[in-house]
Amino acid sequence: MVEISKDFIKKFQAEKNKKDFEIIFNFYAPKIKSLLIRNGAEFTLAEDIMHDTMINIWDKIHMYNPQKGSFSSWIYTIARNNRIDLLRKKSSQPYTDISEIDIPSDNENSQEIVERKSLTEQVQNAINLLPDKQKKVIELSFKNDMTQDEIATELNVPIGTVKSRMRLAYQKMKDNLKDITS
Amino acid sequence: MKNCPDLATIISYSSGALSKSFALLVSSHIEKCDHCRRNIDRCCEMGGSFLDAEENTALENNSYALFLDKLEESKNTERQLSVKDTFDKSSEVPVSLQRHIGRDLSSLKWSFLAPGIKKCSVKIDEKENKHLTFLKIKSKKKIPEHSHLGSELTLVLKGSFDDENGRYMAGDIADHDHTSRHEPVVTSDEDCVCVIATDGPLIFNSLIANIFQSIARI
């Protein structure tokens, strides 16, 4: 499989050809579909929502800015928004796409820009370093789309404990990644 | 911003696990809060990392060809107006809320709630019967002391109020759960307009306040 490197994404943003997009599709589509099925979509609906997500990625690819985050986190936010809009069949979108409304943000110092593949790996490593209880609440939130209440019920702990584990997990993640994120 | 949502709220927002009313208020807050946006970016890196590590589910045999057909079809249909074209970033109403209430707070249909307090309830989800409660409170007016059965997010749109935790200005969010008890009082010279999302009823600590609640239904 061809690696989805920063250069590859840059080339695709410039040329936007269907042959290159097939590589992006082959890497992310099966993962997005898997996430949708875990969150309750049946096979055919998951395939449909995945297609809609990939169309959004194609349409918005010019908005991806590697200085703001990894390509995977950008894909994740698009997939998340599509999942909320389509899987939950909501009548309107609670998530405004900040990149679409183009609100200026602090400029990132060029020294803070890191290799995104490295960032994704380091985030994975940081998650793996979390204590099991903290890792579990993060996984249930991100992978299983569970609310804090649902996590509390699943783990049979008070909601305050769920919140506290989330905060601790985030703080540890942030500490572990402080050399590469500001 | 001085007052931001709890980190746990930010994490749930990032993972897409907040209810619609709560997510709308967080979306509104982050439009002007770089601090929270950076936190959300970090959380979304976690999401991206989970996505990378996700197992692969088999696609339909002709999935990519089907995708290309849908892509062509989508190019031929009229696209929705972009957010950039239809929303006003200079409005006192955050872009995220403009979809539901328009650009101008004065266009809300206020009704009397109690002396010095007006209320407007806006349904944001027909199916789930979810709504946001807007309150317009006169200067120096106090909301009776209350605690919460569930969580409550309050976003200030105009003016300011104080409670036991400090002062909340336009754009700030007060993030309360069942452990908090507070008695907000408007401190700005102008009316304070705020919007509230709750997932459980408030618990007022006096008879008069309970009457207030039965009318307010918040």
Side-chain angles (χ1 to χ4, degrees), chain B residues 147-187:
Chain B
S147 51
H148 311 89
L149 204 56
S151 299
E152 175 196 287
L153 283 189
T154 304
L155 171 73
V156 182
L157 298 173
K158 195 175 167 185
S160 65
F161 72 80
D162 282 16
D163 72 7
E164 291 69 6
N165 300 309
R167 174 157 298 177
Y168 296 84
M169 316 281 285
D172 282 346
I173 272 193
D175 189 343
H176 294 287
D177 62 19
H178 66 286
T179 60
S180 354
R181 171 183 286 229
H182 65 148
E183 192 176 29
V185 56
V186 172
T187 45

Side-chain angles (χ1 to χ4, degrees), chain A residues 18 21 58, chain B residues 63-73:
Chain A
K18 290 171 182 169
F21 194 70
W58 172 280
Chain B
S63 189
Y64 191 62
L66 196 59
F67 159 76
L68 291 177
D69 289 346
K70 286 184 180 175
L71 185 64
E72 284 307 310
E73 201 179 308

Side-chain angles (χ1 to χ4, degrees), chain B residues 200-212:
Chain B
L202 311 191
I203 303 166
F204 287 97
N205 306 314
S206 71
L207 178 63
I208 291 173
N210 274 309
I211 295 168
F212 169 87

